[in-house]
Amino acid sequence: MSVVSINPDVMGESRRVCIAGTGSYAPERVMTNADFEKIVDTSDEWIVTRTGIRERHMARDDETTSDMAAEAARRALAAAGIGPEEVQMIVVATITPDMPFPNTGCLVQDKIGARGAFCFDVEAACSGFVYALELGRQYVSSGALDTVLVIGAEKMSSMTDWTDRSTCVLFGDGAGAAVLRPCRRGRGLMTSVMGSDGSLAELLMVPGGGSRNPTSHETVDKGLHYLKMEGREVFKYAVNNMTAAAREALEKSGLSLEDVACVIPHQANVRIIQAIAQRLHAPIEKFFINVDRYGNTSGASVGIAMDEAVRGGRVKAGDVVMLLVFGGGFTWGCSLLEWGKRS
Ligand code: UT7
């Protein structure tokens, strides 16, 4: 196992950083709204009108977050034409790691054979992919590293309370990945705006299993290991903060929304996306939406959506793309990038 040396001599040089390839993975098993009608008091009509979700992918019992992350990573590396041995850093954004430690990045490293990488996880809930992307960008931009693998991966079904209709219908499993490399042409990853508000942490959380409520029979009996959400409150903050972050990122980069070819938002609820589009006075067609087929895959959502947008031809070379996220913490962020003009 080699050690990656971060070269201090070139730090601060500021290179442009491109996404050289993307990949994603969704488990084979699909749960439709009709399947939920059989287990909780809900209806396809309620779920579709309140969320836009029609189906979501669910991992097998023996399928872990690192399994999904590794498959998305293999596809991203193939798209970039890069072998696993070239990867110097793996950062996995997840709130559903295989286990408290070791980190999921290390498990992915082993699965894909990226023996030369150093690896860790980032936890910023549904904002995790953009946070990890920004972290990776800093390493490549500074000249410290040349090849970084960023992955968002979640097995949300592992923290779902299947008796709580207000949350169980919302989430899905999957993974999205991107390979970061220096680029000679085009702007690559440009502006990022990120924010957090820990005073609102309790509105979206898994209360058990950490140092506050260590796992015990009691925490299990009380259901503290399940995701808890004050949906209506989260909705409000998501719309406000994502809209503000989008405006700030555009202002910082001297761009207007007309310059942006495609907005790829966190896929939690189509009504959140519609409200943001309305506030930004942007046509909804500018927003890439796949929440109908995936539900909310938390830290994986933007990575999966970006891969679908690229492979489906929705994002083309030279397009300016906006990634826009919000999640537990609260955390939020917006990244602007120019797609695909790599040397
Ligand atoms: O990824 C991190 C960010 N997460 C989000 O952005 C999620 C944000 N929140 C939301 O997307 C929405 O708030 C939800 C989809 C979670 C809920 O939609 P809502 O329009 O805010 O509904 P609500 O919570 O105000 O509930 C309305 C009604 C309630 O019944 P009463 O009290 O009016 O009689 C709920 O009990 O809908 C009921 N309800 C359901 N009914 C059928 C809640 N869940 C369900 C359900 N099926 N699955």
Side-chain angles (χ1 to χ4, degrees), residues 42 46 50-51 126 165-166 231-232 266 268-269 271-272 296:
T42 192
W46 190 96
R50 298 291 182 124
T51 71
C126 306
R165 69 174 183 175
S166 71
R232 222 178 289 186
H266 171 49
N269 186 325
R271 285 163 50 224
I272 293 178
N296 181 347

Side-chain angles (χ1 to χ4, degrees), residues 155-170:
K155 186 173 177 177
M156 295 303 288
S157 57
S158 67
M159 55 166 65
T160 298
D161 180 352
W162 298 99
T163 65
D164 176 9
R165 69 174 183 175
S166 71
T167 55
C168 72
V169 301
L170 303 175

